[in-house]
Amino acid sequence: MKTATVYTETVVHAAPEQFVADAPYQLAILVGDDGSRATVRIAGERVAIGDRVEFAEERNGIPFYRKA
């Protein structure tokens, strides 16, 4: 999914061991234009429920999106 809308979001402060260096970071559940859903990381500016986002990149199998 290239573009989507933020369904819900949270900021992770107590990260799993492999992501401790990234904390705090934002996770979001997105709803794609086709109705699909995905849990992703947010890159850059923080997003809020209802914001439009676009695919930015994939790192180690993790999709990153940014505010559109």
Side-chain angles (χ1 to χ4, degrees):
M1 116 179 93
K2 292 191 180 252
T3 60
T5 302
V6 177
Y7 177 75
T8 191
E9 58 79 28
T10 191
V11 175
V12 176
H13 294 278
E17 186 176 325
Q18 66 266 37
F19 301 116
V20 168
D22 297 340
Y25 57 87
Q26 188 176 29
L27 292 176
I29 296 176
L30 307 180
V31 177
D33 297 335
D34 62 356
S36 62
R37 291 188 182 201
T39 302
V40 304
R41 294 258 313 252
I42 300 298
E45 182 182 351
R46 192 158 174 210
V47 299
I49 294 170
D51 283 349
R52 295 288 294 166
V53 293
E54 60 188 10
F55 180 76
E57 66 180 309
E58 188 171 307
R59 293 184 218 156
N60 299 319
I62 300 169
F64 282 76
Y65 280 71
R66 66 174 162 249
K67 203 169 196 176

